[in-house]
Amino acid sequence: MAEEHIATGISQLALSLLYPSIPRSAPNGSSAIVACVGGERHDLGARMVADFYEMAGFSVRYLGAGVDPDRLVAMVGEDPPDLLALSVTTTFSVEALRRTADRARSAVGDRMRMAVGGSAVTGSPGLSSSVGADVSDPDVRAAVLQSQTLLGTEAT
C-alpha cells in the first residue's frame, strides 16, 4: 500500500512538471468536467483523462478526488458542461457513480453527454450502459475521439 502511494505521488509530480509543455489543439468549443465520484480517492487516472481532453481542445474543469455529489450536481446544473467524465476505480464507489450519474442527468437532461471510466468500470461489464454513459473506453485516446465525434468537434 505504501509503495502504491509513493508511485502515485511520483507520477503526479511528473505530470505536473510536464503539464506546461503538453501539446494542445486549438479550442474546439466543447467543455468538460472531470471528477472522481464521492468517496473515490484514486484520482491519478482522472487527472490524466482531464489532460487528454485539454490536449484535444476541450475547456476542462478538473475537480479531483472524492467530489461531493451535491456540489458536483449543483455545478453541473449551474453551468452544464458538454461532457461530464466520472471516474470510479474501486468497486466500493460504484453505487456513488450510479447515484451521481442519475442526479447529474436529472439536473440537465440530454443537454450533457457523459463519459465514465476507471478500473471499476472496466471490470464490470454493462456498468457504463447501466448508468447511461455515452462514452466508455479503457483507452483514453479512443474515449476522447468518441467524445469529439459525439459532440461534433473536429478530431486532430
Side-chain angles (χ1 to χ4, degrees):
M1 179 72 110
E3 290 85 3
E4 176 188 351
H5 290 281
I6 291 169
T8 298
I10 291 168
S11 298
Q12 288 171 333
L13 176 61
L15 288 174
S16 68
L17 293 173
L18 292 170
Y19 180 80
S21 62
I22 61 174
R24 291 173 176 80
S25 296
N28 66 20
S30 292
S31 62
I33 291 177
V34 179
C36 297
V37 297
E40 182 60 63
R41 304 303 311 162
H42 298 88
D43 66 338
L44 182 59
R47 170 76 262 172
M48 291 188 286
V49 166
D51 288 349
F52 269 84
Y53 275 106
E54 189 170 329
M55 289 187 306
F58 283 74
S59 172
V60 177
R61 289 179 278 170
Y62 173 67
L63 305 182
V67 176
D68 176 79
D70 292 332
R71 186 64 202 122
L72 176 61
V73 171
M75 182 179 283
V76 165
E78 292 164 9
D79 186 13
D82 297 305
L83 179 76
L84 174 62
L86 298 173
S87 176
V88 58
T89 303
T90 63
T91 56
F92 299 111
S93 298
V94 167
E95 193 52 41
L97 171 66
R98 290 184 193 285
R99 287 190 310 270
T100 302
D102 287 345
R103 291 182 60 203
R105 284 268 193 226
S106 294
V108 296
D110 291 334
R111 295 181 293 158
M112 177 190 72
R113 300 294 182 211
M114 190 178 313
V116 298
S119 299
V121 174
T122 304
S124 302
L127 177 59
S128 60
S129 61
S130 75
V131 298
D134 301 291
V135 175
S136 180
D137 196 303
D139 180 336
V140 67
R141 292 167 297 184
V144 170
L145 287 172
Q146 289 172 23
S147 300
Q148 289 175 308
T149 300
L150 184 67
L151 297 171
T153 60
E154 187 70 27
T156 56

